[in-house]
């Protein structure tokens, strides 16, 4: 009888636990491989990008984070980019980026402002689009109201208590044009390619070179 009980415990608890542990181990190996062995080209040259930027522009990047490739491939038509932010240009001409980003390592994240160098430094490619028929200063002002909101790991656009990158863009846009909404996929997620939608945005051609790789 005791052997039967022990065997039952093993089958109903031990095996599922083992499967879970193996799954997490495989994910860990995958992440270690990704970060230590995947080779990325050098990031774009910031000095070549900055002259193209205006206050309120949308800056898109092809990131180097663990989830970047997943987000990039989730785009339906344009698979170039995995993350977006809003360009801020102050009176002195200093350029920074307002964006909602989650940390791959810690799971933390929020709507914050980072330097253009930091935003571009975590990418292999950059794009820029410009909101049509809108005062860019008002667009930026509306977007800044969401500073400090936690990152939305559930990607739930039904609530604005937490935000992800493209959701931030849509909310700031809807504060100006309530009737406008960005396209969603079948899971109701706004993908980066939505910020290139020609109904609302004009893509700005860029000419820049990659940074020289360090020896």
């Amino acid at each position: 009888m005791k052997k039967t009980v022990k065997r039952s415990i093993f089958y109903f608890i031990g095996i599922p636990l083992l499967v879970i542990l193996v799954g997490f181990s495989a994910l860990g190996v995958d992440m270690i491989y990704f970060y230590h062995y995947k080779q990325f080209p050098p990031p774009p040259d910031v000095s070549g990008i900055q002259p193209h930027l205006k206050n309120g522009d949308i800056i898109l990047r092809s990131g180097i984070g663990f989830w970047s490739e997943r987000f990039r491939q989730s785009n339906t038509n344009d698979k170039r980019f995995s993350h977006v932010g809003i360009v801020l240009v102050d009176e002195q001409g200093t350029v920074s980026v307002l964006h909602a980003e989650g940390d791959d390592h810690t799971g933390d994240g929020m709507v914050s402002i980072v330097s253009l160098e930091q935003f571009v430094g975590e990418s292999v490619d950059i794009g820029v689009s410009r909101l049509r028929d809108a005062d860019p200063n008002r667009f930026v002002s509306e977007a800044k109201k969401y500073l400090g909101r936690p990152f939305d790991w559930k990607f739930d656009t039904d609530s604005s208590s937490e935000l992800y990158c493209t959701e931030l863009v849509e909310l700031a846009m809807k504060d100006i044009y309530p009737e406008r909404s960005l396209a969603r996929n079948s899971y109701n997620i706004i993908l980066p390619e939505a910020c290139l939608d020609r109904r609302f945005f004009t893509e700005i051609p860029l000419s820049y070179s990659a940074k020289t790789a360090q020896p």
Side-chain angles (χ1 to χ4, degrees):
M1 180 65 178
K2 289 183 179 180
K3 289 184 179 180
T4 302
V5 171
K6 289 181 180 179
R7 189 178 297 112
S8 298
I9 292 174
F10 175 75
Y11 280 123
F12 287 101
I13 297 178
I15 291 179
L17 181 60
L18 181 62
V19 170
I20 292 172
L21 291 174
V22 170
F24 275 112
S25 298
L27 178 61
V29 170
D30 186 24
M31 293 183 73
I32 291 171
Y33 174 82
F34 182 86
Y35 281 112
H36 289 278
Y37 298 101
K38 185 173 179 62
Q39 296 296 312
F40 296 104
D45 181 7
V46 172
S47 64
I49 296 170
Q50 186 165 333
H52 299 276
L53 301 177
K54 294 184 178 181
N55 196 45
D57 282 351
I58 307 301
I59 183 167
L60 305 95
R61 79 181 182 199
S62 179
I64 59 174
F66 179 73
W67 297 108
S68 295
E69 182 65 21
R70 277 75 173 172
F71 288 125
R72 192 162 38 247
Q73 293 303 322
S74 294
N75 289 303
T76 303
N77 299 307
D78 192 328
K79 299 182 181 295
R80 287 178 292 166
F81 304 112
S82 59
H83 183 61
V84 307
I86 299 171
V87 173
L88 311 179
V89 183
D90 66 18
E91 295 179 353
Q92 290 72 43
T94 302
V95 181
S96 52
V97 179
L98 172 69
H99 70 150
E101 182 179 35
D103 190 298
D104 289 344
H105 304 282
T106 66
D108 297 326
M110 65 173 64
V111 179
S112 62
I113 297 175
V114 299
S115 67
L116 177 63
E117 289 78 9
Q118 180 178 338
F119 188 88
V120 171
E122 298 181 19
S123 70
V124 294
D125 193 15
I126 289 291
V128 174
S129 66
R130 192 162 294 156
L131 189 61
R132 292 181 176 179
D133 307 320
D135 178 355
N137 295 322
R138 183 182 173 191
F139 178 61
V140 165
S141 178
E142 298 294 344
K144 282 183 175 180
K145 294 191 303 186
Y146 300 101
L147 265 171
R149 295 281 176 95
F151 184 78
D152 184 5
W153 289 101
K154 299 185 295 295
F155 294 88
D156 177 17
T157 52
D158 293 330
S159 170
S160 61
S161 60
E162 299 176 327
L163 302 176
Y164 59 95
C165 64
T166 47
E167 185 181 9
L168 171 63
V169 172
E170 183 186 66
L171 281 176
M173 182 181 72
K174 288 179 74 68
D175 287 340
I176 304 173
Y177 296 110
E179 73 283 0
R180 292 186 181 182
S181 295
L182 296 181
R184 288 153 166 75
N185 68 1
S186 58
Y187 298 100
N188 201 37
I189 296 174
I190 306 169
L191 297 170
E193 66 179 353
C195 292
L196 295 168
D197 189 330
R198 293 181 181 178
R199 295 176 299 165
F200 309 133
F201 302 95
T202 300
E203 185 170 2
I204 308 302
L206 296 183
S207 58
Y208 62 84
S209 60
K211 288 182 179 178
T212 302
Q214 299 298 316

